[in-house]
Amino acid sequence: MRIVLAEDSVLLREGLVRLFDEAGFETVGSYGDAESLLAGIDEAKPDVAVLDVRMPPTFRDEGVRAAIELRRRMPRLGVLLLSQYVEGTYAQELLSSGDGGMGYLLKDRVASLDELEDAVERVSQGGTVLDPQVVAELLSRRSDPLATLTPREREVMTLMAEGRTNAGIAKQLYIGVGAVEKNVTSIFQKLGLEDSGTDHRRVLAVLTWLQR
């Protein structure tokens, strides 16, 4: 089986290549960012693409965007996303087409050669592989996305609904502005509010909160 890999961490990338080799797979392309992967995909002609969710330059959703583009170019290509954290929004976006051959695993799962090999085999055959923690996140979203907010995120959300800025929230909660920003980003992700470039996510989050 021919595999292409996109992962910005050199150590993890080399480790994955060795794991693929032990599993009997052939790594035909290894890249440090999504742009390089997309540029070399036609020549590599892989059966499966394994991508980190967050890569340079912004470390946000480059892997997801690249996965969607790869499937547009090569509908039969198996795609396996790896993430350090549970990011249900990205998993949901990847799976929204309803097509098979997709997978989403947490990086700590790749320590098991058998589990990684099984995931690659399944997506190559058109199956779907989801990390159990990702499944739990998606199920919780279906019931009530607000229920997934932590107590701190609820405090931030309440103050956000009051119209306070991040600096105002930080002052009120006696935490740093950076901590507030992390909580706000997490809230957006849990509510499925991706940055479309047009919608004001802060307003949409507040509307969701007020409608609970």
Side-chain angles (χ1 to χ4, degrees), residues 66-85:
I68 293 173
E69 173 62 18
L70 288 175
R71 287 298 292 265
R72 186 190 68 80
R73 295 187 194 179
M74 309 171 69
R76 295 180 180 275
L77 179 69
V79 173
L80 178 62
L81 284 178
L82 301 178
S83 178
Q84 187 173 353
Y85 309 103

Side-chain angles (χ1 to χ4, degrees), residues 48-68:
V48 174
V50 179
L51 305 87
D52 187 6
V53 168
R54 299 185 177 190
M55 289 185 286
T58 69
F59 293 94
R60 291 184 57 196
D61 61 350
E62 286 81 2
V64 180
R65 303 269 74 77
I68 293 173

